[in-house]
């Protein structure tokens, strides 16, 4: 299997900052999975989503909007 590691941010801060922050979150998880869990990096793709996919739209600054999700990629 291959996996998409998606970083997310809440809308506080600018859009460019949030996109960069979410990308860094995703890359951090990829590094952990590759280095500590020994998953081949070629199976992992880090994607920064910024503030585009809020879980809690009622409270945009809610902690659940700052997260990383892992999705199985089907080919």
């Amino acid at each position: 299997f291959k996996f998409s590691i998606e970083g997310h941010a809440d809308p506080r801060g600018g859009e460019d900052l949030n996109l960069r922050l979410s990308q860094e979150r995703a890359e951090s998880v990829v590094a952990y999975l590759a280095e500590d869990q020994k998953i081949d990096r070629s199976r992992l793709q880090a994607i920064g989503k910024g503030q585009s996919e809020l879980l809690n739209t009622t409270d945009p600054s809610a902690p659940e909007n700052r997260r990383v999700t892992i999705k199985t990629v089907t080919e």
Side-chain angles (χ1 to χ4, degrees):
F1 291 102
K2 291 187 178 185
F3 302 93
S4 168
I5 314 301
E6 299 177 350
H8 300 270
D10 65 30
R12 295 180 297 172
E15 191 171 325
D16 290 340
L17 173 66
N18 289 334
L19 190 57
R20 187 173 71 242
L21 175 62
S22 65
Q23 183 67 35
E24 290 172 0
R25 279 189 177 128
E27 289 173 3
S28 176
V29 172
V30 165
Y32 167 77
L33 292 172
E35 294 165 17
D36 293 6
Q37 301 303 311
K38 308 300 183 207
I39 298 173
D40 189 327
R41 279 187 185 264
S42 68
R43 297 175 56 204
L44 307 169
Q45 180 183 14
I47 300 171
K49 296 280 193 163
Q51 61 197 37
S52 65
E53 297 179 12
L54 299 178
L55 278 181
N56 185 341
T57 56
T58 304
D59 181 7
S61 64
E64 58 267 27
N65 291 327
R66 300 180 299 276
R67 69 194 187 281
V68 174
T69 57
I70 300 174
K71 296 182 178 178
T72 304
V73 176
T74 56
E75 295 181 292

